């Protein structure tokens, strides 16, 4: 991973800060991949995961997002001090059903799974939920 990861910290109820994190990480990804869709993919993933953290935790839950990249991957790490919850254990929604027949929830993590190469959850010794998302970087021809 690169020498200077980006790190942002806020609380789950600070909508302006959460939006700014999404936008800044999208810009960070666009610098890595100016011609591709990486920036949009990152903004979508960040929005969905931060929205889940905001919705499923108490008001004011501390949240930290870290982004770093190596030659082949971009890694996003989301940490929150909320209740233990592994979103990867949630059942995937049946996207073939009409919206009116689907249950509520699960679509955000489904979108992240579709856009990312790998997702990993763990509970830290400090009691934090840690969700790591890895995205493949485009190959540089040359």
């Amino acid at each position: 991973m690169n020498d200077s990861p980006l790190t942002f910290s806020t609380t789950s109820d600070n909508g302006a800060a959460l939006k700014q994190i999404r936008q800044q990480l999208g810009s960070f990804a666009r610098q890595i991949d100016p011609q591709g869709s990486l920036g949009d993919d990152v903004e979508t993933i960040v929005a969905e995961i931060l929205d889940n953290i905001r919705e499923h935790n108490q008001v004011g839950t501390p949240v930290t997002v870290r982004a770093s990249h190596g030659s082949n991957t971009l890694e996003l790490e989301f940490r929150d001090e909320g209740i233990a919850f592994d979103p990867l254990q949630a059942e995937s929604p049946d996207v073939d059903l009409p919206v009116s027949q689907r249950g509520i929830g699960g679509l955000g993590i489904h979108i992240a799974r579709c856009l990312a190469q790998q997702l990993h959850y763990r509970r830290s010794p400090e009691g934090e939920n840690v969700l790591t998302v890895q995205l493949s970087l485009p190959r540089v021809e040359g």
Side-chain angles (χ1 to χ4, degrees):
M1 294 293 149
N2 66 344
D3 291 339
S4 55
L6 295 178
T7 302
F8 303 93
S9 296
T10 188
T11 57
S12 61
D13 59 338
N14 188 338
L18 296 175
K19 180 179 179 181
Q20 185 176 20
I21 291 169
R22 176 183 54 81
Q23 292 171 338
Q24 288 184 343
L25 290 175
S27 294
F28 175 70
R30 284 183 191 88
Q31 291 174 8
I32 298 166
D33 180 30
Q35 304 301 319
S37 64
L38 185 65
D40 291 340
D41 292 351
V42 165
E43 281 202 42
T44 299
I45 290 168
V46 171
E48 293 297 337
I49 292 173
L50 290 178
D51 190 52
N52 283 346
I53 291 170
R54 182 186 56 77
E55 277 195 34
H56 299 291
N57 284 299
Q58 292 182 355
V59 172
T61 297
V63 177
T64 301
V65 183
R66 183 177 161 272
S68 58
H69 72 91
S71 58
N72 298 320
T73 60
L74 171 67
E75 184 174 284
L76 304 171
E77 181 185 82
F78 300 84
R79 289 178 171 260
D80 71 78
E81 296 178 17
I83 59 170
F85 176 69
D86 181 353
L88 303 180
Q89 296 301 313
E91 189 173 320
S92 294
D94 185 347
V95 295
D96 293 327
L97 287 175
V99 173
S100 62
Q101 294 179 13
R102 276 189 237 150
I104 295 175
L107 199 52
I109 200 69
H110 172 75
I111 291 168
R113 281 183 172 130
C114 290
L115 295 174
Q117 180 179 3
Q118 185 175 1
L119 287 90
H120 175 74
Y121 170 84
R122 68 182 173 89
R123 186 76 174 169
S124 76
E126 298 81 21
E128 296 175 307
N129 293 302
V130 182
L131 181 65
T132 305
V133 179
Q134 290 186 339
L135 294 99
S136 295
L137 296 180
R139 293 181 179 256
V140 177
E141 300 295 322

